[in-house]
Coordinates of all heavy atoms in Angstrom, one line a residue:
L1 N 34.4 133.0 105.2 CA 35.6 133.1 106.1 C 35.4 132.5 107.5 O 36.2 131.7 108.0 CB 36.1 134.5 106.2 CG 37.4 134.7 107.0 CD1 38.5 133.9 106.4 CD2 37.7 136.2 107.1
D2 N 34.3 132.8 108.1 CA 34.0 132.3 109.5 C 33.9 130.8 109.5 O 34.5 130.2 110.4 CB 32.7 132.9 110.0 CG 32.8 134.4 110.3 OD1 34.0 134.9 110.5 OD2 31.8 135.1 110.4
Q3 N 33.2 130.2 108.5 CA 33.1 128.8 108.5 C 34.5 128.1 108.2 O 34.8 127.1 108.7 CB 32.1 128.3 107.4 CG 30.7 128.8 107.6 CD 30.4 130.1 106.8 OE1 31.1 131.1 107.0 NE2 29.3 130.1 106.0
I4 N 35.3 128.8 107.3 CA 36.6 128.2 106.9 C 37.5 128.3 108.1 O 38.3 127.3 108.4 CB 37.2 129.0 105.8 CG1 36.4 128.7 104.5 CG2 38.7 128.8 105.6 CD1 36.8 129.6 103.3
I5 N 37.5 129.3 108.9 CA 38.3 129.4 110.1 C 37.9 128.4 111.1 O 38.7 127.7 111.7 CB 38.2 130.8 110.7 CG1 38.9 131.9 109.9 CG2 38.7 130.9 112.2 CD1 38.7 133.3 110.3
E6 N 36.6 128.2 111.3 CA 36.1 127.2 112.2 C 36.5 125.8 111.8 O 37.0 125.0 112.6 CB 34.6 127.2 112.3 CG 34.0 126.2 113.3 CD 32.4 126.3 113.3 OE1 31.9 127.0 112.6 OE2 31.9 125.6 114.2
F7 N 36.4 125.5 110.5 CA 36.8 124.2 110.0 C 38.3 124.0 110.1 O 38.8 122.9 110.5 CB 36.4 124.1 108.5 CG 36.5 122.7 107.9 CD1 35.5 121.8 108.0 CD2 37.7 122.3 107.3 CE1 35.6 120.5 107.5 CE2 37.8 121.1 106.7 CZ 36.8 120.1 106.8
G8 N 39.0 125.0 109.8 CA 40.5 125.0 109.9 C 41.0 124.7 111.3 O 41.9 123.9 111.5
N9 N 40.3 125.3 112.3 CA 40.7 125.0 113.7 C 40.4 123.6 114.1 O 41.1 122.9 114.8 CB 40.0 126.0 114.6 CG 40.8 127.3 114.7 OD1 42.0 127.3 114.8 ND2 40.1 128.4 114.8
K10 N 39.3 123.0 113.6 CA 38.9 121.7 113.9 C 39.8 120.6 113.4 O 40.0 119.6 113.9 CB 37.4 121.4 113.4 CG 36.3 122.1 114.2 CD 35.0 121.7 113.6 CE 33.9 122.4 114.4 NZ 32.5 122.1 113.8
I11 N 40.5 120.9 112.2 CA 41.4 119.9 111.6 C 42.8 120.3 111.9 O 43.7 119.6 111.4 CB 41.1 119.8 110.1 CG1 41.4 121.0 109.3 CG2 39.7 119.3 109.9 CD1 41.4 120.8 107.8
G12 N 43.1 121.3 112.7 CA 44.4 121.7 113.1 C 45.3 122.4 112.1 O 46.5 122.2 112.1
L13 N 44.6 123.1 111.2 CA 45.4 123.9 110.2 C 46.3 124.9 110.9 O 45.9 125.5 111.9 CB 44.5 124.6 109.2 CG 43.7 123.8 108.2 CD1 42.9 124.7 107.3 CD2 44.6 122.9 107.4
S14 N 47.5 125.2 110.3 CA 48.3 126.3 110.7 C 48.1 127.5 109.8 O 48.4 128.6 110.1 CB 49.8 125.9 110.7 OG 50.0 124.9 111.7
Y15 N 47.7 127.2 108.5 CA 47.6 128.2 107.5 C 46.3 128.1 106.7 O 45.9 127.0 106.3 CB 48.8 128.1 106.5 CG 50.2 128.3 107.1 CD1 50.8 127.3 107.7 CD2 50.8 129.6 107.1 CE1 52.1 127.4 108.2 CE2 52.0 129.8 107.7 CZ 52.7 128.7 108.2 OH 53.9 128.9 108.8
I16 N 45.8 129.3 106.4 CA 44.7 129.4 105.4 C 45.3 130.3 104.3 O 45.7 131.4 104.5 CB 43.4 130.1 106.0 CG1 42.8 129.1 107.0 CG2 42.4 130.4 104.9 CD1 41.7 129.7 107.8
I17 N 45.2 129.8 103.1 CA 45.9 130.4 101.9 C 44.9 130.8 100.9 O 44.1 130.0 100.4 CB 47.0 129.5 101.3 CG1 48.0 129.1 102.4 CG2 47.6 130.1 100.1 CD1 48.8 130.2 102.9
C18 N 45.0 132.1 100.4 CA 44.2 132.5 99.2 C 45.0 132.1 98.0 O 46.2 132.5 97.8 CB 44.0 134.0 99.3 SG 43.1 134.6 97.8
A19 N 44.4 131.3 97.1 CA 45.1 130.8 96.0 C 44.7 131.4 94.7 O 45.2 131.1 93.6 CB 45.0 129.3 95.9
F20 N 43.7 132.3 94.8 CA 43.2 133.1 93.6 C 42.5 134.3 94.1 O 41.6 134.2 94.9 CB 42.3 132.3 92.7 CG 42.1 133.0 91.3 CD1 42.9 132.7 90.3 CD2 41.1 133.9 91.1 CE1 42.8 133.3 89.0 CE2 40.9 134.5 89.9 CZ 41.7 134.2 88.8
P21 N 43.0 135.5 93.8 CA 42.5 136.8 94.4 C 41.1 137.2 93.8 O 40.5 136.5 93.0 CB 43.5 137.8 94.0 CG 44.1 137.3 92.7 CD 44.1 135.8 92.8
G22 N 40.6 138.3 94.4 CA 39.3 138.8 93.9 C 39.5 140.1 93.2 O 40.6 140.6 92.9
F23 N 38.3 140.6 92.8 CA 38.3 141.9 92.0 C 37.6 143.0 92.8 O 36.6 142.7 93.5 CB 37.5 141.7 90.7 CG 38.3 140.8 89.7 CD1 38.0 139.5 89.6 CD2 39.2 141.4 88.9 CE1 38.7 138.7 88.7 CE2 39.9 140.6 87.9 CZ 39.6 139.2 87.9
K24 N 38.1 144.2 92.7 CA 37.5 145.3 93.4 C 36.0 145.5 92.9 O 35.1 145.8 93.6 CB 38.3 146.6 93.2 CG 37.8 147.8 93.9 CD 38.7 149.0 93.8 CE 38.1 150.2 94.5 NZ 39.0 151.4 94.4

């Protein structure tokens, strides 16, 4: 998540979307 947020900010994303959930 931290790397994804950093990358997203660098390319100017407005949204980060989960496209497949996880399991408890």
Side-chain angles (χ1 to χ4, degrees):
L1 182 59
D2 289 340
Q3 299 97 304
I4 288 170
I5 288 174
E6 181 182 4
F7 189 86
N9 276 319
K10 286 181 178 178
I11 64 173
L13 291 183
S14 298
Y15 297 87
I16 291 173
I17 301 296
C18 179
F20 193 89
F23 291 95
K24 183 177 181 180

